[in-house]
Amino acid sequence: GPDPAQEAKDEYLYMELERLVMSMGQLAIGEFEIDVDAFDFPPEAEDLAAMFGVVTESIQGTMNAIRSLIHEIDTVALDVLKGRLAARADAAAHAGEYSQLMSGFNGTLDALVGHLDAMPIPAFIIDREYLLQYVNPAAAKLLGRSREELTDLRCHDVVATEHCGSPSCGCHKSMEARE
């Protein structure tokens, strides 16, 4: 007749493989609500349980690596939205293809900022407190300071026109138009 120990081991193997296939399917579509808890195993399947434990750790490691990418991209994107166009992801903090992904993300930002830097017309980005967040080379040249010196200075301290601080201020008008 059938060997009860082998049947228990086969049943455990089937359940774990089914869980693994479901988990990988969820991971493939970006769903991270994955049940990674292993099933209780019979004593006969201790070797299989150890192997599935390693697989489970690998799935958790993959999810953690992807979450780290998402967090870093979100952080850089928020900085860029605030006008801090020098913000970049730390590609070296990620391994393998993940590092390449972050390098590509940084390269896209570099290309965009490169276009703004190449404009012969002075341009800058300020935040809600009128602090300079980005200054292109043409604006830095016009203002007679380096881009690094200008970053985080108030625009009215740098530009200092008679319109600064008044309703006719170009920066003020631009901010009102965006609201």
Side-chain angles (χ1 to χ4, degrees):
D3 178 9
Q6 185 61 47
E7 284 182 346
K9 192 172 182 177
D10 290 347
E11 182 180 344
Y12 173 75
L13 176 61
Y14 177 79
M15 290 186 330
E16 284 292 347
L17 285 173
E18 185 176 54
R19 181 182 65 86
L20 177 61
V21 168
M22 288 177 53
S23 296
M24 296 308 293
Q26 287 177 283
L27 187 61
I29 62 170
E31 176 58 53
F32 284 20
E33 296 302 318
I34 296 174
D35 179 15
V36 292
D37 294 329
F39 293 105
D40 291 331
F41 59 91
E44 303 84 6
E46 188 172 344
D47 58 333
L48 291 173
M51 184 176 57
F52 281 111
V54 171
V55 171
T56 296
E57 288 175 17
S58 294
I59 291 171
Q60 289 173 326
T62 300
M63 290 188 307
N64 290 340
I66 294 171
R67 283 186 179 118
S68 176
L69 291 170
I70 292 168
H71 174 75
E72 187 152 6
I73 288 171
D74 285 348
T75 299
V76 171
L78 184 59
D79 282 347
V80 170
L81 285 173
K82 291 178 180 177
R84 295 203 168 269
L85 302 188
R88 295 295 180 275
D90 181 6
H94 305 279
E97 300 288 327
Y98 296 139
S99 179
Q100 279 188 290
L101 175 69
M102 298 310 267
S103 292
F105 176 69
N106 288 341
T108 300
L109 291 174
D110 291 341
L112 173 64
V113 174
H115 291 300
L116 295 173
D117 286 348
M119 290 187 331
I121 300 168
F124 56 88
I125 297 173
I126 59 171
D127 66 12
R128 291 272 178 214
E129 286 76 45
Y130 297 90
L131 295 171
L132 295 167
Q133 300 299 303
Y134 164 80
V135 179
N136 77 349
K141 183 177 179 183
L142 177 71
L143 297 170
R145 295 189 187 177
S146 75
R147 296 164 73 176
E148 292 76 22
E149 289 176 290
L150 292 165
T151 302
D152 289 329
L153 294 179
R154 295 201 186 284
C155 63
H156 60 263
D157 291 334
V158 176
V159 178
T161 71
E162 67 273 7
H163 301 291
C164 292
S166 74
S168 62
C169 169
C171 294
H172 178 75
K173 286 181 180 181
S174 177
M175 278 195 227
E176 281 186 337
R178 286 193 298 183
E179 291 179 349

